[in-house]
Amino acid sequence: IRRPPRSTPLYSSAASDVYKRQISYDRKVTKMPIFIKLPRIDEINYYEELIRPIKKFLDVGVVLSNTLPIDDKRLKVGKGGKSGASLFESTLKILRYVRKSHPEIVIMCSGGISTSEQARILLNEGANALQIYTSLVYKGPGIIKELNNGLLNN
């Protein structure tokens, strides 16, 4: 998964150009599917600008979406990324918007997934795959079996 360089403002039109250049480069290196992890942003219609160049390539999907950027003076660098269960509703909102606007694109959802019910909701709303991280850290590797069993049994 590639992200634009940290120096690229994620809220500018330059970000979509970075994605296009990166995918063009990656496509020269591999024919494997490529997933671009998109930033979590409040201005939901901005996803249109980010996804437009991605759709021009074969076998490229999106990951919705990264951590929620936060400013916090307690952090040494003053900034960080919020993750975990509190992001689920935002992830669902972003998925619904992107899936409605782009029914053909492959979507992997990430953010706030910690129960099989949440996983089911995202899959039913159009996610093609799911990515977990924070729940894996806090619940351990058994969360994978728990999610799978919950999905299979209901």
Side-chain angles (χ1 to χ4, degrees):
I1 296 172
R2 302 273 184 164
R3 296 188 188 106
R6 291 199 181 275
S7 60
T8 302
L10 294 176
Y11 305 104
S12 74
S13 60
S16 61
D17 291 336
V18 170
Y19 290 137
K20 189 166 37 173
R21 283 193 311 272
Q22 186 65 56
I23 295 168
S24 294
Y25 171 81
D26 291 347
R27 197 42 80 215
K28 292 175 187 174
V29 176
T30 184
K31 298 296 180 204
M32 298 291 291
I34 298 169
F35 284 87
I36 304 296
K37 193 166 199 174
L38 299 179
R40 186 174 298 271
I41 49 180
D42 290 329
E43 299 171 36
I44 201 158
N45 59 340
Y46 185 68
Y47 285 101
E48 293 298 321
E49 190 172 335
L50 295 177
I51 292 172
R52 193 177 316 113
I54 293 170
K55 285 175 47 174
K56 295 178 182 177
F57 294 89
L58 295 175
D59 296 324
V60 177
V62 296
V63 179
L64 303 175
S65 64
N66 211 344
T67 57
L68 178 66
I70 59 167
D71 292 323
D72 191 328
K73 293 178 183 177
R74 295 175 295 173
L75 299 172
K76 186 174 183 176
V77 294
K79 297 179 181 190
K82 184 177 183 181
S83 64
S86 65
L87 297 182
F88 179 77
E89 290 302 321
S90 170
T91 300
L92 181 58
K93 178 182 172 185
I94 295 166
L95 169 64
R96 286 176 172 157
Y97 178 83
V98 173
R99 177 51 73 212
K100 183 178 180 183
S101 302
H102 305 282
E104 72 291 344
I105 198 163
V106 176
I107 299 174
M108 184 183 306
C109 274
S110 174
I113 306 164
S114 59
T115 69
S116 59
E117 182 58 28
Q118 291 170 326
R120 181 177 298 98
I121 289 168
L122 293 172
L123 292 168
N124 288 341
E125 290 290 336
N128 301 98
L130 304 175
Q131 180 186 83
I132 61 169
Y133 184 73
T134 302
S135 60
L136 184 63
V137 170
Y138 286 104
K139 294 185 175 186
I143 184 67
I144 298 166
K145 185 175 183 179
E146 180 184 320
L147 293 174
N148 283 333
N149 287 340
L151 288 169
L152 289 172
N153 294 326
N154 291 322

